[in-house]
Amino acid sequence: MRIGTMSRVVTVVFALAAVAVAGMSVKVDEQTQRYMIEDNGQPVLTYNFGTVPVPAGVDGKYAVARSDYVHPLYGPNGEVLTKDYSPDHPHHRGIYWAWPEVTYGGETRDLHALQGVFARPVKMLRHDGGVLETENVWKWGDTEPIVREQVLIRVRPGRVVDFEFRLTALKEPVTIARRYRDAYGGLNLRFAALQKQKIATSDGWAVITGVPPGGKEPVSVAMFQHPDNPGDWVQYPKLNWLQPTFPAKNTAFTLTPDKPLVLKYRLWVFAGAPDEKELARRWSQYQ
């Protein structure tokens, strides 16, 4: 009863916070359960609520069908900015929120690499006006639900994308951590191969810039990590990888049934190279 009540309360909070914006719409593929958010008819991103099968030619231990992630993220001229099912790391899946160390019942498994624990869809709560609100569940061994995951994705004019995640353990505590407690984990972003790629980071923001496949001009993706999220920035330039991590280095975080963990992030996609003063202004605005 308590868990059900919590779910209803959080749903109301999400709905109040996620006000629809004129010009924003959501296009649904009912067969695949893919939800594309558009800004005045132009694609911004696609959220894969349903399961995306392994494509032909991709195989190996880490080539696992998955759901609950964003791909593609689009540039201003329709460029595909993210990468899914990359042969070098088949488990990388565009923009996804997952941890390589998930500990439950004294055992550790890998949600990031899709080994022994998986995020599976439960219900699409809302999809209109540039807003997606979903409920998913982490399944231990793909059978036992251990964490309720609620996701809010909201697109604003100017290709500004807000993410909010609420994670609540369902029965027993569940601990999440980065790889080796100091590497990757959290909101993960695997980009397509960018020509002339550049990465810059500051305390509150980071940005990756380059010419995407099929593009002619540079596109930038700026990232803003909410001050309430303790973490730092991790980058692997050869993999076109840049992410805000969680939790802080050399720590772990334990999810419990009585209080959800809330993580918030913002992305801003724009043409051209970044201006540090503008990034600082937007970071201040986001805070």
Side-chain angles (χ1 to χ4, degrees):
M1 180 65 71
R2 182 178 64 180
I3 291 175
T5 302
M6 181 182 298
S7 177
R8 289 194 295 273
V9 171
V10 171
T11 297
V12 171
V13 171
F14 271 30
L16 289 174
V19 178
V21 176
M24 300 294 171
S25 60
V26 179
K27 185 180 294 184
V28 184
D29 184 326
E30 296 289 355
Q31 182 175 359
T32 62
Q33 286 295 288
R34 295 180 182 178
Y35 292 75
M36 177 186 287
I37 299 181
E38 296 182 333
D39 181 354
N40 290 296
Q42 300 301 311
V44 178
L45 61 82
T46 296
Y47 172 67
N48 298 283
F49 183 59
T51 300
V52 179
V54 179
V58 179
D59 54 22
K61 177 181 178 181
Y62 300 106
V64 180
R66 62 288 206 105
S67 57
D68 187 29
Y69 66 102
V70 169
H71 174 79
L73 175 72
Y74 295 95
N77 295 308
E79 306 97 331
V80 173
L81 303 180
T82 49
K83 184 74 172 178
D84 193 15
Y85 278 113
S86 177
D88 55 29
H89 291 74
H91 53 288
H92 288 181
R93 44 198 187 274
I95 301 174
Y96 58 108
W97 33 99
W99 285 264
E101 298 184 13
V102 178
T103 302
Y104 172 71
E107 183 181 356
T108 298
R109 297 181 182 179
D110 191 340
L111 182 63
H112 169 88
L114 303 165
Q115 303 296 301
V117 57
F118 308 88
R120 299 302 188 195
V122 174
K123 186 177 182 180
M124 175 62 67
L125 302 172
R126 180 183 176 186
H127 57 91
D128 60 64
V131 176
L132 297 176
E133 184 182 340
T134 77
E135 181 176 341
N136 306 285
V137 67
W138 297 3
K139 290 190 174 182
W140 197 252
D142 218 6
T143 56
E144 181 184 2
I146 62 169
V147 171
R148 171 180 287 110
E149 175 197 284
Q150 292 171 296
V151 178
L152 176 66
I153 302 174
R154 174 174 49 198
V155 176
R156 303 173 185 271
R159 296 185 179 270
V160 174
V161 185
D162 285 338
F163 291 92
E164 181 173 327
F165 310 108
R166 290 175 180 259
L167 307 175
T168 310
L170 290 174
K171 295 179 290 186
E172 301 177 20
V174 177
T175 299
I176 57 176
R178 295 154 61 175
R179 181 77 73 202
Y180 314 122
R181 301 291 175 98
D182 64 357
Y184 53 88
L187 180 64
N188 309 279
L189 298 102
R190 173 67 191 266
F191 292 96
L194 301 173
Q195 297 180 27
K196 301 179 181 179
Q197 176 180 269
K198 295 182 179 179
I199 294 175
T201 63
S202 182
D203 288 342
W205 57 262
V207 61
I208 184 169
T209 304
V211 180
K216 297 180 180 179
E217 302 295 334
V219 175
S220 297
V221 180
M223 309 170 198
F224 304 93
Q225 180 163 211
H226 196 277
D228 292 342
N229 305 346
D232 49 45
W233 301 100
V234 165
Q235 57 179 281
Y236 300 101
K238 292 183 179 179
L239 295 177
N240 314 107
W241 179 282
L242 176 62
Q243 74 166 124
T245 60
F246 178 86
K249 280 187 176 181
N250 303 316
T251 69
F253 187 92
T254 299
L255 306 173
T256 60
D258 58 328
K259 184 179 180 180
L261 166 67
V262 180
L263 298 173
K264 300 178 182 180
Y265 305 89
R266 173 171 288 179
L267 304 184
W268 172 37
V269 181
F270 58 97
D275 177 274
E276 290 196 9
K277 289 184 178 179
E278 178 63 12
L279 289 170
R281 186 189 72 81
R282 286 178 176 259
W283 162 234
S284 179
Q285 184 183 57
Y286 181 50
Q287 294 184 79

